[in-house]
Amino acid sequence: MTIDAKPLPHAEDQSFAGTVRLDIAGIGALTLRSNRPQQADRTIEDAEAKHRSLLASLGVDSLRTARQRLVEARDKATELGLARQRLADLAPKGIQQLHEELARLSALGAGDLELKVDPEQIRQHHAAAEQRVATTRNSVREALPLRSHADEAVMAAETAYVTIQAELTSLEVILGPDAAREEKGRLLLTEATARQKLREAAEMRAAPLRDGARDLTSAEAVLRRARSVQDAATQEASQLRVTLADLNGHIRTRSDDAVEEALREATEKLEIAGERARRFEFEKAVLDRLRTTLVAARSTARDLYLKPVMSELRPLLGLLFDDISIVFDENTLLPQTVRRNGQDEDVDRLSGGMREQLSVLTRLAFARLLARDGRPTPVILDDALVYSDDDRIERMFDALHRQSHDQQILVFSCRQRAFAKLGGNILQMSDWQPGRS
């Protein structure tokens, strides 16, 4: 082992600052970085000073400004190239020739020109020349894309040439000098022939082995299946060992207990529990039969109970409503729904006045039944019919009078005007006098 190309002594501590390279023969190399701060030097200060001097030499104050300058310089270089190309198109022989041509034309224009030809012919020649110039310019415009394409082709060819040149150089390096190439070629040919013979011999040995070999995919599948079976068997054996250990522990624990006595006790308890279960089953059958009998008796009693109530209630309902009937609840024996004009309505959804009127009429019907059974009972109404309108309250008064001929009805109210049309015997208050009962 070496550290920075120096031998590393055995069993000796080494300390370093910064980074070092540790080479291990036959294995590789490691770069170690220390967390200990390095000794102070002026590397960073010198780099910053050099950075500032370079910026000052460029005439900028920051790297960002220098990059902007670089971008602007590239743009200007592109514009300069275009301008030079345009100058080459306009003055292919140089600016000096244009100055000479301009001086010659100026000298010709200084004096009077004597035309020796027909002016009209000159105009025609001038128009034809302008036409040729326009045609030439159009031809130049048409040739510009071809020239661009040609430039690109030239650049591609130069790139291919450079690539081929690099490949040629690489081949020359591989092949060596020209004098040694023939000898090297013979050696390579001899080596290739030997390798070809070795390959043919290996193919001859591999052919029967390849024919007799099993399919690799099938062999891998069989191997995976065998490994999965082995893993499952190992896991099951582990679980069985755990279960066996638990069972052995339970057996050792139970061996000290009176298992047979506990079994006899459990058997006796099972017989007692079975007897209790049979008694419970008999009791359940008796209760089910009793419940069935009670339900039938309740239905019969309900029919016997509600039928006379409906007979007494029907004429009273006819005094207030047309085509109305009441359905009583089977459990509570209270009005549940009202059928009017073929439609059922819940009693809870009726108006307060109608519920109050039905309540009063039902009480009157029950009172009539009690009276017929020889148990006359007075009907007492205390501030009843407070939600009834004038028409309905008078009909209720008629119903009260209808029932009052053979039973007593007491009506208490603080609404004297509303109950003025009730009629009947109005109670009067008189002063109490001693000796009078």
Side-chain angles (χ1 to χ4, degrees):
M1 299 176 64
T2 60
I3 181 167
D4 283 345
K6 297 179 181 180
L8 183 63
H10 180 67
E12 182 178 337
D13 294 338
Q14 293 286 332
S15 62
F16 61 91
T19 59
V20 296
R21 177 184 175 87
L22 179 65
D23 294 301
I24 305 174
I27 297 179
L30 295 175
T31 300
L32 305 178
R33 187 182 304 276
S34 175
N35 292 330
R36 186 175 63 186
Q38 300 180 0
Q39 296 179 357
D41 53 14
R42 295 189 55 80
T43 303
I44 298 178
E45 290 78 0
D46 295 341
E48 291 179 350
K50 185 177 180 180
H51 178 72
R52 287 192 296 270
S53 63
L54 290 175
L55 292 178
S57 64
L58 295 175
V60 296
D61 56 352
S62 63
L63 182 60
R64 181 178 180 182
T65 307
R67 289 175 177 172
Q68 292 179 353
R69 290 278 184 87
L70 178 60
V71 173
E72 294 175 357
R74 289 177 180 174
D75 295 340
K76 294 295 183 182
T78 303
E79 293 178 0
L80 179 61
L82 295 176
R84 286 178 177 175
Q85 182 65 34
R86 186 176 181 185
L87 178 61
D89 294 337
L90 296 176
K93 296 182 180 180
I95 299 179
Q96 184 63 31
Q97 185 179 3
L98 289 179
H99 286 301
E100 293 175 357
E101 184 68 19
L102 180 61
R104 187 181 65 81
L105 294 176
S106 299
L108 291 176
D112 295 335
L113 295 177
E114 182 180 357
L115 298 176
K116 297 180 180 181
V117 295
D118 185 12
E120 184 62 29
Q121 187 177 2
I122 295 297
R123 291 189 185 92
Q124 293 177 359
H125 285 301
H126 181 265
E130 288 184 347
Q131 182 64 31
R132 289 195 297 274
V133 169
T135 304
T136 304
R137 288 177 178 174
N138 292 333
S139 300
V140 170
R141 291 191 182 93
E142 292 178 359
L144 285 177
L146 297 177
R147 179 174 179 178
S148 300
H149 183 70
D151 292 339
E152 293 176 358
V154 170
M155 293 180 63
E158 291 178 352
T159 303
Y161 172 75
V162 172
T163 303
I164 294 173
Q165 190 68 27
E167 293 178 355
L168 181 60
T169 303
S170 177
L171 290 175
E172 288 179 352
V173 172
I174 294 173
L175 294 176
D178 294 338
R181 288 180 182 178
E182 185 175 356
E183 182 64 24
K184 190 173 183 179
R186 285 196 298 271
L187 294 176
L188 291 176
L189 181 59
T190 303
E191 185 178 358
T193 303
R195 290 182 179 272
Q196 181 66 24
K197 292 180 179 179
L198 292 175
R199 181 177 179 276
E200 291 176 356
E203 285 289 339
M204 293 178 63
R205 291 193 303 270
L209 296 176
R210 188 182 296 111
D211 295 338
R214 295 186 59 183
D215 185 16
L216 181 60
T217 305
S218 301
E220 290 178 350
V222 173
L223 178 60
R224 288 195 299 270
R225 181 180 62 80
R227 286 179 177 175
S228 64
V229 172
Q230 182 183 2
D231 295 340
T234 303
Q235 185 177 3
E236 184 178 2
S238 177
Q239 293 178 354
L240 290 176
R241 283 193 292 270
V242 174
T243 306
L244 180 61
D246 293 339
L247 292 176
N248 289 332
H250 286 298
I251 290 173
R252 285 192 296 270
T253 302
R254 293 289 185 180
S255 61
D256 298 333
D257 298 337
V259 180
E260 296 180 354
E261 295 180 0
L263 177 61
R264 285 195 296 271
E265 293 179 358
T267 304
E268 293 176 357
K269 290 180 180 180
L270 179 61
E271 293 177 355
I272 295 173
E275 183 64 25
R276 292 183 60 189
R278 286 191 292 273
R279 290 200 302 269
F280 288 152
E281 290 177 356
F282 178 75
E283 184 177 357
K284 175 181 175 298
V286 173
L287 292 176
D288 289 340
R289 185 172 182 180
L290 178 60
R291 182 177 61 182
T292 303
T293 305
L294 291 177
V295 169
R298 184 179 63 180
S299 299
T300 304
R302 184 179 60 249
D303 295 338
L304 295 175
Y305 173 77
L306 291 179
K307 186 174 181 180
V309 171
M310 291 302 300
S311 344
E312 294 293 335
L313 188 58
R314 190 174 294 107
L316 297 177
L317 291 174
L319 295 176
L320 271 75
F321 310 103
D322 297 331
D323 189 16
I324 187 172
S325 61
I326 299 177
V327 177
F328 287 84
D329 190 295
E330 295 182 356
N331 298 321
T332 62
L333 300 179
L334 295 176
Q336 182 180 12
T337 59
V338 173
R339 177 178 290 273
R340 292 191 300 175
N341 300 323
Q343 294 183 355
D344 294 335
E345 299 181 48
D346 292 338
V347 174
D348 296 337
R349 296 180 177 273
L350 299 176
S351 62
M354 191 169 184
R355 290 201 302 270
E356 185 181 48
Q357 295 158 15
L358 291 176
S359 176
V360 172
L361 294 179
T362 304
R363 284 168 171 78
L364 293 176
F366 275 102
R368 175 60 63 87
L369 289 178
L370 292 175
R372 288 185 177 181
D373 196 30
R375 294 177 295 171
T377 303
V379 178
I380 302 175
L381 303 177
D382 186 8
D383 269 334
L385 307 176
V386 296
Y387 299 107
S388 300
D389 54 22
D390 295 340
D391 185 31
R392 289 284 176 85
I393 200 171
E394 289 188 7
R395 295 184 182 182
M396 287 298 299
F397 291 163
D398 294 339
L400 292 175
H401 276 275
R402 184 179 185 279
Q403 299 295 105
S404 64
H405 71 280
D406 57 355
Q407 67 183 91
Q408 186 179 23
I409 300 176
L410 301 179
V411 179
F412 297 96
S413 177
C414 60
R415 301 165 58 207
Q416 296 182 1
R417 293 184 179 179
F419 282 80
K421 296 182 179 180
L422 175 59
N425 298 323
I426 301 176
L427 300 179
Q428 300 291 336
M429 300 296 294
S430 60
D431 296 334
W432 177 75
Q433 295 181 5
R436 298 180 62 182
S437 57

